[in-house]
Amino acid sequence: MSAVFKSGIAIGVLAMALLSQSAHAQKTIKMTAFAGHPPVFPWVKLLDDYFIPEVDKRLAAAGGKVKIEWNRAYGGTLVKLGSESTALKDGLGEIGFVSTIFEAPKFPLQNITYYTPFGTDDISIVAKVITSLQNKIPEMKAAWTKNNAVFLGGTGLDAYHLFTKAPIAKLDDLKGLKINAPGPSANWLKDTGAIAVAGTLQTYYNDIQTGVTSGALTFATGGFPAKIYEVAPNITKVNYGAQFGGALAMNKKVLDRLPKDVQKIFLDVGQDYSEKFNALLTSTTNDLMRKMAAAGAHIREVPPAERKQWASAIPNPAIPWAKDLDAKGLPGTKVLKAYMAEMKANGVEYPRDWSQE
C-alpha cells in the first residue's frame, strides 16, 4: 500500500472522527421561560417573539454547540404574578420576567420610580437611569443576586394615566372615588380625596364593571389589552410618568454553568431585548391611545399648570420611602438623590423635586 494511499486513508479517518465528535458535541439544554402575565402584554410578547428566537439564532451562528429546548409558561400557568423571583431562585424555570412592582420587599430600590411620580413619559430614559444606578450602587445589583437571578434587560411601563367611569375635569372630581392603584402608586392618590384599592391588570376590568371601584391608574399598553377603556372610557392623561416595572432575568446557577461564549449571548440578547422593548413601547403607546379613542374613549390631556397642582396636592412619597430604607440599612436617600440627579441630567423636568423635604 503506497504512502500516499495510507495518508489519504488516515486523513479520511481523522475527518470522520472529527465530524462524529462534532455531531456528538452539541448539547441540548431544556429551559423554561415564564411570566405571570400573558403574552398579550408587550414585555411577555417580546420575550416570546424576540428573545427566544434571537438566542436560538445566535447559538446556531456560534457553531451550534449548545441548543435550547424551550418550554413556554406564560399567564400564570407555572408561576403566579408576584412570585417570579421565587420561581427563579428555586429553579422552577430558567428565564423569567420579574415584575419588581409586585415584589417590592425583594426589590425595594428598583421601585424608586413609583415614589417619584410626574416624571417623563419617555421609558427609554427611565430604563437607562435604572440600569445605570444598578451598575453603580451595589445594593441594587445585590437584590438580583440574593434571589439567584441575573438581570438581563430592564423594561418599564408607559406613562400612567387615570381611567374612570365618569369624566375627571379637575382634581376635586376625585373626591370619594375608589380607584384601583397597584402597589406604591396608591401614594399618588393620597390627599386627593380618592381611595386607593389594590389590584392588578387581571382584576381591574371586573372591579370597575361590578362597582368595586370607579376606575384605575394604569397605562395604555396595559389598559388596551385588558380592555379597561370599555368599563372606564374616560382617560385623564395626568402623565404620572413612565415607570420601571420589572426585568427579564435568568437563574444565576444555570447561567454560570454555561460556556462563557453562551453566557455572553444571553446577556447581549437581554440588553437588546431591553432596547427593543423601549422602542416598541414608544411606538405602540400613541397608537393604542388612538385605538381607544376610536372605540369610544374620551381623552383629556392635563395641562402643565394643572399637572403641577396634582403633584403638589399629595404628600411627598419619596422622603419617607428613602428614610425607611435608610433605617433598614439600604441606601434609600442615596438612590433617591442619584435617581433625581440622573433624570434631570437626562433632561427630565419635574413639577416638584421629590428629593427635597
Side-chain angles (χ1 to χ4, degrees):
M1 185 179 294
S2 70
V4 174
F5 184 69
K6 288 181 179 179
S7 177
I9 292 176
I11 292 173
V13 171
L14 177 61
M16 289 291 289
L18 289 174
L19 285 171
S20 176
Q21 184 180 18
S22 176
H24 290 291
Q26 186 182 68
K27 184 177 182 181
T28 299
I29 301 174
K30 292 183 179 181
M31 287 194 182
T32 295
F34 62 88
H37 285 114
V40 293
F41 297 109
W43 48 93
V44 184
K45 183 174 175 57
L46 200 63
L47 164 59
D48 203 45
D49 290 352
Y50 174 73
F51 183 86
I52 289 176
E54 185 64 17
V55 166
D56 289 343
K57 176 182 174 182
R58 296 192 193 187
L59 287 174
K65 291 182 180 180
V66 173
K67 182 180 179 181
I68 308 299
E69 184 179 312
W70 295 99
N71 174 43
R72 294 161 171 82
Y74 307 139
T77 55
L78 175 68
V79 181
K80 300 301 180 184
L81 185 64
S83 302
E84 295 95 337
S85 70
T86 300
L88 276 181
K89 187 175 184 179
D90 294 344
L92 292 180
E94 287 70 36
I95 302 280
F97 185 84
V98 178
S99 298
T100 51
I101 177 180
F102 296 115
E103 298 203 43
K106 292 183 178 180
F107 300 92
L109 297 171
Q110 276 74 8
N111 276 276
I112 175 64
T113 66
Y114 281 90
Y115 294 91
T116 52
F118 298 94
T120 180
D121 60 359
D122 189 338
I123 185 57
S124 64
I125 293 177
V126 174
K128 173 184 175 183
V129 171
I130 290 295
T131 301
S132 172
L133 293 183
Q134 286 191 146
N135 290 331
K136 295 176 181 177
I137 301 175
E139 291 86 350
M140 291 188 75
K141 188 173 184 178
W144 297 100
T145 306
K146 287 178 182 177
N147 286 285
N148 186 32
V150 175
F151 177 91
L152 295 178
T155 68
L157 308 173
D158 45 299
Y160 275 69
H161 303 297
L162 192 59
F163 289 59
T164 53
K165 287 182 176 180
I168 303 296
K170 57 186 182 300
L171 182 61
D172 285 347
D173 290 342
L174 289 179
K175 289 182 179 179
L177 297 184
K178 292 182 179 180
I179 304 294
N180 283 124
S185 69
N187 290 306
W188 308 343
L189 296 174
K190 284 184 177 179
D191 290 358
T192 65
I195 302 165
V197 178
T200 70
L201 281 167
Q202 285 95 324
T203 67
Y204 293 165
Y205 190 103
N206 188 61
D207 283 351
I208 298 169
Q209 186 180 48
T210 58
V212 173
T213 62
S214 297
L217 284 177
T218 190
F219 41 95
T221 57
F224 181 80
K227 299 182 178 180
I228 307 304
Y229 62 93
E230 291 183 352
V231 289
N234 293 283
I235 303 173
T236 306
K237 291 187 70 177
V238 185
N239 184 12
Y240 288 100
Q243 305 293 324
F244 181 82
L248 196 61
M250 187 169 182
N251 179 288
K252 187 177 186 302
K253 291 181 180 178
V254 171
L255 183 65
D256 288 346
R257 286 198 296 264
L258 296 174
K260 293 295 183 182
D261 58 334
V262 175
Q263 290 183 32
K264 187 176 186 303
I265 287 174
F266 276 93
L267 295 171
D268 288 350
V269 177
Q271 288 183 337
D272 292 345
Y273 163 90
S274 182
E275 292 175 7
K276 286 185 177 294
F277 176 86
N278 295 334
L280 173 66
L281 198 70
T282 301
S283 65
T284 301
T285 301
N286 291 335
D287 182 51
L288 294 184
M289 279 293 181
R290 286 191 292 268
K291 287 182 177 180
M292 287 188 283
H298 305 284
I299 301 174
R300 182 177 83 88
E301 189 110 25
V302 174
E306 184 183 343
R307 187 168 178 257
K308 185 174 182 178
Q309 180 191 11
W310 285 55
S312 300
I314 65 173
N316 186 331
I319 297 295
W321 170 84
K323 288 183 176 179
D324 178 63
L325 292 180
D326 289 343
K328 295 175 180 177
L330 290 171
T333 299
K334 179 181 178 180
V335 169
L336 172 58
K337 290 183 177 180
Y339 180 77
M340 291 298 292
E342 288 209 22
M343 290 293 279
K344 290 176 183 178
N346 279 275
V348 179
E349 295 183 7
Y350 284 82
R352 183 175 174 182
D353 188 345
W354 302 111
S355 64
Q356 302 299 317
E357 293 281 0

